[in-house]
Amino acid sequence: MDIASPWTPPESDPPSSGALVDTFGRIGDDLRVSITDRCNFRCVYCMPAEGLVWLPKEEILTFEEIVRVVGVFVSLGVRALKLTGGEPTVRADFARLVGMLREAQPDIEMSMTTNGILLDRLAKPLAEAGLDRVTVSCDSLLRHRFAEMTRRDALDRVLAGIRAAEEAGLTPIKINCVVIAGQNEGEAVEFARFSRDTGHEVRFIEYMPLDAEQAWERAKVVPNADILQDIDAVFPLVPAEGEPDPASTFTFADGAPGAIGVISSVTEPFCDTCNRLRLTSDGQLRACLFALDEVDLRGPMRSGAGDEDLAKLIRRGVWRKWEGHRINHADFVRPGRSMSMIGG
Ligand code: SAM
């Protein structure tokens, strides 16, 4: 899937050893693995009400293939693994996959991003299988708005899922909230209160042009600076100390539990420090969420490539990572796949 790209990849070869580096000196050590393109929600900023045409089962990596390819990434320095989708919990036998990954990679930090609806029954088995923590998406704390944004009347069940995750020890829990102008932009302070009450970090994500219906427009993006201002006026914030992360994190100046994170991909891109890599459910490596090209790992894996061959393909794919996404440029081209197909 190559679309005319404003980026000319380097002709040079990547280093044959050491970390997964690109030509801008960034190191890719955080891998998001999508394990399905299917989802049981229909969030308005992601998927149409009727869903999408799902990938045929035979195109999706098997559990054994996922474990194998993750092993190659880990041998190349990946240290954090996030399972995602689609909705990862709809993949049959998901806890078994988590167990297989944990057995193969006892030391890796393993989390997942989920809409939370199945956590009330899956949190415990997933924790027992070796998952470390969860990020749960929740765009509104009001039942009607939650239903409008996800096209599912499921707020209570998601909140119950978050509590189940807490009881199962899948902590620290992060809550992802996509903010869209005219919909949930007035809820920032309520989410901050929720963070203080529960201790969970709430992370506001700017709406990105990755919706399958292509309804994104800049006027619907709420700059995270505005969100921080709203919260700071009620609950003063201070920048959190710690490792640099694509999310800028703040804690409450009065020492209350919880934290606020902002992922400002549109208004304040953080491409120069991006350490993320993505593997789609059909085994394509994407070095950027907005990449216009992918490196096929499934084909070679299924036609007998050894781990060394896969490692070379991965090194080359990361080496070709571009400087950054082009959302704010006139030559911006949307990737051919939308968020649920890529794995958020
Ligand atoms: N189903 C899981 C979930 O709900 O978290 C994992 C996959 S979902 C694609 C991952 C994240 O991407 C979610 O937090 C979702 O809200 C976010 N997302 C989806 N479409 C988006 C868009 N157009 N802009 C910004 N974030 C988006």
Side-chain angles (χ1 to χ4, degrees):
M1 189 207 59
D2 283 355
I3 304 174
S5 167
W7 161 238
T8 309
E11 282 173 17
S12 56
D13 289 325
S16 55
S17 62
L20 278 173
V21 67
D22 64 37
T23 54
F24 300 92
R26 295 167 299 195
I27 290 179
D29 60 4
D30 180 319
L31 177 66
R32 275 123 216 275
V33 177
S34 173
I35 62 161
T36 178
D37 59 324
R38 294 173 192 239
C39 189
N40 45 4
F41 277 24
R42 296 288 181 272
C43 301
V44 289
Y45 50 80
C46 189
M47 219 190 251
E50 64 280 10
L52 293 167
V53 178
W54 311 127
L55 288 167
K57 196 170 170 222
E58 62 277 11
E59 289 188 17
I60 302 283
L61 294 190
T62 63
F63 285 3
E64 288 71 19
E65 287 170 334
I66 294 172
V67 172
R68 176 176 172 208
V69 76
V70 165
V72 179
F73 276 100
V74 172
S75 74
L76 297 173
V78 162
R79 50 162 194 89
L81 178 64
K82 174 152 274 180
L83 302 174
T84 183
E87 170 51 41
T89 59
V90 304
R91 177 116 184 214
D93 236 359
F94 175 47
R96 188 166 70 84
L97 171 63
V98 170
M100 288 168 67
L101 285 164
R102 178 52 76 209
E103 194 182 342
Q105 305 300 337
D107 300 324
I108 202 161
E109 181 192 322
M110 182 166 43
S111 60
M112 86 162 156
T113 303
T114 175
N115 61 32
I117 191 162
L118 296 175
L119 273 182
D120 51 357
R121 61 182 165 84
L122 281 181
K124 196 160 175 271
L126 287 172
E128 284 168 359
L131 193 71
D132 291 319
R133 58 181 185 81
V134 290
T135 296
V136 181
S137 300
C138 181
D139 304 321
S140 176
L141 295 169
L142 299 172
R143 181 179 165 185
H144 72 277
R145 188 170 295 130
F146 183 98
E148 260 164 41
M149 291 187 71
T150 62
R151 301 194 181 98
R152 297 288 183 266
D153 183 8
L155 176 62
D156 284 351
R157 200 147 161 217
V158 169
L159 294 176
I162 295 171
R163 286 192 295 274
E166 195 177 352
E167 277 159 29
L170 292 171
T171 54
I173 294 174
K174 292 180 182 168
I175 308 296
N176 273 357
C177 176
V178 177
V179 183
I180 301 190
Q183 297 199 26
N184 57 345
E185 69 196 300
E187 283 195 62
V189 171
E190 274 319 300
F191 270 109
R193 209 183 302 280
F194 178 80
S195 173
R196 294 164 63 90
D197 289 347
T198 59
H200 308 326
E201 178 180 330
V202 175
R203 304 200 310 175
F204 296 97
I205 304 178
E206 287 178 349
Y207 180 26
M208 294 181 274
L210 286 171
D211 55 317
E213 293 180 283
Q214 308 208 2
W216 182 89
E217 42 179 314
R218 191 163 291 271
K220 291 185 188 159
V221 178
V222 179
N224 272 329
D226 296 358
I227 301 274
L228 288 174
Q229 211 177 355
D230 287 356
I231 296 175
D232 189 64
V234 181
F235 302 119
L237 296 168
V238 286
E241 288 167 18
E243 282 187 29
D245 184 303
S248 308
T249 312
F250 299 81
T251 53
F252 295 105
D254 63 2
I260 300 297
V262 287
I263 302 182
S264 311
S265 315
V266 180
T267 62
E268 293 173 56
F270 42 84
C271 306
D272 54 339
T273 57
C274 175
N275 62 343
R276 295 177 176 182
L277 304 172
R278 289 184 157 80
L279 184 70
T280 63
S281 57
D282 54 349
Q284 312 296 306
L285 165 63
R286 297 177 63 87
C288 169
L289 190 50
F290 291 90
L292 298 175
D293 61 351
E294 301 179 337
V295 175
D296 179 28
L297 300 178
R298 185 195 62 198
M301 234 189 315
R302 290 188 180 173
S303 42
D307 287 0
E308 278 298 310
D309 304 315
L310 294 178
K312 271 193 199 143
L313 287 169
I314 294 168
R315 281 195 184 281
R316 194 162 161 67
V318 176
W319 187 242
R320 291 162 59 97
K321 180 167 175 161
W322 61 7
E323 188 170 11
H325 71 63
R326 314 276 309 166
I327 301 177
N328 298 312
H329 297 255
D331 60 5
F332 174 66
V333 179
R334 290 177 62 117
R337 304 213 221 197
S338 54
M339 188 67 133
S340 64
M341 301 276 297
I342 297 170

